[in-house]
Amino acid sequence: DCQSRTPWHPHQRDSMNADEINRATTWLRDAEFVLVAGGAGMSAAAGLDYTDCELFAKHFPVMAKYGFRNFYNFIGYHGTHCPDGVTPWIPELRWGYLAAQCNLARYNWPVPHPVYSRTLDLAKSAPNYFVMSTNADGMFARSGFDPARIFNPQGDYGNLQCLGPCRSDAVWPSKPFIDAILPTIDADTQRCATEVVPMCQYCGGPMFFNVRGGNWFIEDVAKKETACQAWLQSSLGKRLVILEIGVGFNTPSVLRWPMEKLVAQNPQARLIRINAEHPESRFNLEDRFVGVATDALEAVTVLHQSLLGAPTTSG
């Protein structure tokens, strides 16, 4: 569960082959609609790799001493103690870490990274685009994608919610809570002050990020699912290209499998899947599918150069 760099996979290649480039470029050039489907591999390509132990230890050395190895360890963590078996996993420590991690990943990770800016150029080359992403880090919007055209079915670290939840509108922007916590964090223990631990403003109960972590999740706070479904409906029978980047098998029913199904059901749709480890499709989509077993930034850069010309150094 620990990577210090992107692992090499037996399917992975250094670059796209000529057939992949030609077909993908032609599809994007002719597209009326482009749907960008972004998974964890896309943010990993931008440097925010949740399995990277060195990255985690660099930013959170105290948490590493408590036995945590990487950012991914905290997803669904319900222990009473840290992995070291000694340090209590109390609210002050939990929020001392979560606030700092959210501040880093959601609000201060350097953007735009070329993998995002070049993907935006590819999306905007079509008359109409939309984004579906399982990433809760907000990197699409921070990189210049239109927030009205982004749907995050798994939620967003930009919001906190009541863990009850006590009511369906018990959701608030996370930044004011984060900003209140950060100055109180003890650098030696990672604990924050008790009085800044987020509590529901309606019932006084515990809070967490508005992300899909259980049946307590308050879904679609931004009301984007309806907009996304309407957009997909309008693409039926039209030349739709799905540019899927870094979507694996953590939650395949959210993006990976639905993308394949969209293409299987729409003869005009095409799927470009960029995934170094799992470029295959479970459906036989024949000549309407290109699976690219290449690093995300490399593939996006090659497509950008083929379709739009060489990107700038930063873009």
Side-chain angles (χ1 to χ4, degrees), residues 12 19 31 44 58 87 122 124 144 156 159 189 223 243 291 304:
Q12 188 170 343
D19 177 64
K58 172 186 174 182
T87 308
L122 293 174
K124 291 172 69 175
D156 187 340
N159 293 311
T189 65
K223 308 302 180 188
L243 181 59
H304 191 291

Side-chain angles (χ1 to χ4, degrees), residues 45-179:
L48 186 57
D49 186 344
Y50 272 54
T51 67
D52 190 328
C53 294
E54 290 181 10
L55 178 69
F56 175 76
K58 172 186 174 182
H59 288 283
F60 296 99
V62 175
M63 302 308 292
K65 290 179 182 178
Y66 292 155
F68 292 102
R69 303 181 69 198
N70 53 40
F71 299 108
Y72 199 78
N73 286 167
F74 295 88
I75 297 177
Y77 189 78
H78 299 298
T80 58
H81 287 73
C82 297
D84 64 4
V86 176
T87 308
W89 185 231
I90 58 176
E92 291 82 359
L93 177 56
R94 182 182 305 119
W95 280 105
Y97 166 74
L98 291 174
Q101 195 275 337
C102 178
N103 186 58
L104 172 69
R106 179 62 177 80
Y107 296 112
N108 287 292
W109 198 260
V111 294
H113 186 279
V115 75
Y116 277 90
S117 57
R118 293 170 192 175
T119 299
L120 176 59
D121 288 342
L122 293 174
K124 291 172 69 175
S125 69
N128 210 329
Y129 80 85
F130 211 93
V131 174
M132 290 183 67
S133 177
T134 51
N135 299 340
D137 55 32
M139 214 174 292
F140 275 102
R142 292 182 60 231
S143 298
F145 287 80
D146 182 354
R149 295 176 176 272
I150 302 171
F151 174 43
N152 298 105
Q154 301 292 75
D156 187 340
Y157 292 137
N159 293 311
L160 294 184
Q161 67 158 88
C162 175
L163 261 181
C166 64
R167 46 196 277 182
S168 62
D169 63 345
V171 182
W172 296 270
S174 65
K175 197 165 192 318
F177 292 91
I178 302 303
D179 289 345

Side-chain angles (χ1 to χ4, degrees), residues 134 247-259 273 282:
T134 51
V247 179
F249 285 97
N250 280 343
T251 53
S253 61
V254 179
L255 279 189
R256 187 178 175 98
W257 294 341
M259 296 304 105
R273 169 166 288 157
R282 63 178 182 154

